[in-house]
Amino acid sequence: MTHSSRVAGLSYGRYRDWLDEALDDLEAARRLFELGMWSKVCFFSYQAAEKSLKALCIKKLGKYVHTHSVTRLLGELSIVIDLPLGLVERVGRLDRHYIPTRYPNAWPELPPHKHYSGADAEEALNAASEVVELVRREVERDP
């Protein structure tokens, strides 16, 4: 057994665990929204989308895609599922929340949480909700 197959057996083959973790991240984003923690909502929304799409890549493509780009994951999936019109643009904007939501040195001044608004959080949460729901439908269609 190769190292990569051992790793795949331990983690990458467990698409339902990836989806479950995505659902947990989405719930965290919703709760953080209620608290007005906008940058955290953006980050957890991004995480929910990324993890749910990785789950679907494992399920539909039979592989774990090594990326942190929601846009790339959607591109990989577009060869096996029909994506709703405009989804890549709406959900792809989540990619911008991967680093700047967490690291002060991603900004010229002020901590990350000072740079995000309720509108940013709402957009991110809506995009994540849309992609997680798409993934859930695809998984239920072919359990």
Side-chain angles (χ1 to χ4, degrees), residues 15-84:
Y15 78 91
R16 289 191 183 275
D17 291 341
W18 281 92
L19 181 54
D20 189 48
E21 194 63 19
L23 293 169
D24 191 60
D25 285 346
L26 187 60
E27 180 60 24
R30 288 181 176 136
R31 291 181 185 208
L32 291 163
F33 189 88
E34 292 171 9
L35 295 172
M37 300 180 77
W38 311 133
S39 67
K40 306 315 185 254
V41 173
C42 292
F43 178 69
F44 277 97
S45 294
Y46 155 78
Q47 286 283 280
E50 180 190 8
K51 290 173 187 173
S52 66
L53 291 170
K54 284 187 177 193
L56 196 56
C57 284
I58 294 166
K59 173 76 174 140
K60 295 285 190 179
L61 303 173
K63 66 179 181 178
Y64 175 85
V65 180
H66 290 273
T67 186
H68 292 292
S69 172
V70 171
T71 303
R72 175 156 173 235
L73 292 166
L74 285 168
E76 294 278 338
L77 287 164
S78 69
I79 62 172
V80 293
I81 64 170
D82 292 324
L83 298 174

Side-chain angles (χ1 to χ4, degrees), residues 72-129:
R72 175 156 173 235
L73 292 166
L74 285 168
E76 294 278 338
L77 287 164
S78 69
I79 62 172
V80 293
I81 64 170
D82 292 324
L83 298 174
L85 188 62
L87 181 74
V88 174
E89 292 77 23
R90 287 188 303 280
V91 175
R93 286 195 285 270
L94 289 170
D95 281 343
R96 64 192 169 117
H97 300 309
Y98 177 56
I99 294 199
T101 53
R102 300 177 292 151
Y103 298 108
N105 62 342
W107 297 95
E109 61 181 57
L110 301 175
H113 72 271
K114 300 278 187 183
H115 293 273
Y116 290 86
S117 68
D120 295 324
E122 184 174 17
E123 177 186 65
L125 190 53
N126 287 340
S129 297

